[in-house]
Amino acid sequence: ALKFLDNKQFIQRTIIGLDIIRLSSQRIRIHGDYHLGQVLITDGDFCILDFEGEPECTIRDRKVKQSPLKDVAGMFRSFHYAVYATIFDKGSKSKLSLEDQFTAGEKYYQAIISVYLNSYIKTAMDNALDIGYMPEINYLLRYHLLEKAVYELGYELNSRPTWVIIPLKGIMQILETEKK
């Protein structure tokens, strides 16, 4: 939490400083609250649920066209939660040390998001959805990941304080990547 507070100005500048001018990719109506809990697998197919958008946003804001990468970032954060909620589960019977669980969890998370992103980019390209070139994709993903993790931090502080560690861990990982 202290690292988060030490980086407060950097986080604010990053979120407030979204440079829309340098973005040329397509904007569409997005899900807005896309995460693993919104996806069902049925008979080898996927069903996406609950298209009402982020509950804290106004209806007007939910209708605004945005980069589809915002939903990709939402799914990345959901994968992050799945990995770290498992590690922080007090009832976990893992034989690995906590440090080894973090190492394995991070490798697993990176593998999941790599496969997901590569599949997403291929599908977008195959269907003529302009999500931008890699510099724009990376910029938007970093931006939306940070935005989502900061939102999650507020949510966890108000609803599940014992889970605050998960968005804090995500924010720190994003900041470490950003500052490289």
Side-chain angles (χ1 to χ4, degrees):
L2 292 175
K3 285 182 184 178
F4 173 81
L5 292 174
D6 289 344
N7 287 283
K8 184 178 174 182
Q9 288 183 336
F10 176 79
I11 293 167
Q12 287 173 331
R13 278 194 313 272
T14 301
I15 292 175
I16 293 169
L18 175 65
D19 187 358
I20 198 108
I21 304 301
R22 56 184 258 205
L23 305 179
S24 61
S25 59
Q26 191 173 356
R27 303 288 174 263
I28 61 173
R29 289 215 170 83
I30 63 169
H31 187 284
D33 188 26
Y34 195 50
H35 55 80
L36 289 169
Q38 307 288 26
V39 180
L40 290 176
I41 300 175
T42 59
D43 298 326
D45 199 1
F46 295 92
C47 296
I48 300 172
L49 309 171
D50 188 10
F51 282 90
E52 66 185 27
E54 187 60 59
E56 303 257 330
C57 291
T58 66
I59 297 294
R60 181 179 177 181
D61 288 343
R62 295 178 202 185
K63 290 180 180 180
V64 173
K65 292 182 180 183
Q66 300 181 60
S67 169
L69 294 170
K70 184 170 186 168
D71 281 343
V72 173
M75 190 58 75
F76 282 14
R77 291 296 310 136
S78 190
F79 293 144
H80 187 262
Y81 257 77
V83 168
Y84 282 92
T86 302
I87 292 171
F88 292 125
D89 179 9
K90 301 289 187 222
S92 175
K93 293 182 172 56
S94 176
K95 294 178 180 162
L96 297 175
S97 70
L98 193 57
E99 184 177 326
D100 287 343
Q101 287 180 60
F102 282 130
T103 301
E106 190 55 34
K107 287 179 181 178
Y108 183 64
Y109 171 69
Q110 291 300 323
I112 292 169
I113 66 170
S114 293
V115 169
Y116 187 88
L117 183 59
N118 287 333
S119 296
Y120 190 91
I121 290 171
K122 182 181 181 335
T123 302
M125 290 175 67
D126 289 349
N127 291 282
L129 176 62
D130 177 9
I131 58 172
Y133 292 103
M134 285 312 295
E136 184 173 351
I137 291 169
N138 289 331
Y139 175 76
L140 284 168
L141 281 174
R142 284 192 316 270
Y143 175 85
H144 289 304
L145 282 167
L146 184 59
E147 175 188 49
K148 185 76 171 161
V150 169
Y151 169 83
E152 291 164 357
L153 179 60
Y155 176 85
E156 298 302 359
L157 283 168
N158 290 322
S159 303
R160 298 182 291 201
T162 58
W163 283 42
V164 160
I165 188 68
I166 297 173
L168 279 175
K169 182 82 170 152
I171 291 166
M172 290 304 100
Q173 289 170 341
I174 294 162
L175 291 176
E176 288 167 10
T177 302
E178 190 72 26
K179 289 185 174 186
K180 286 183 182 178

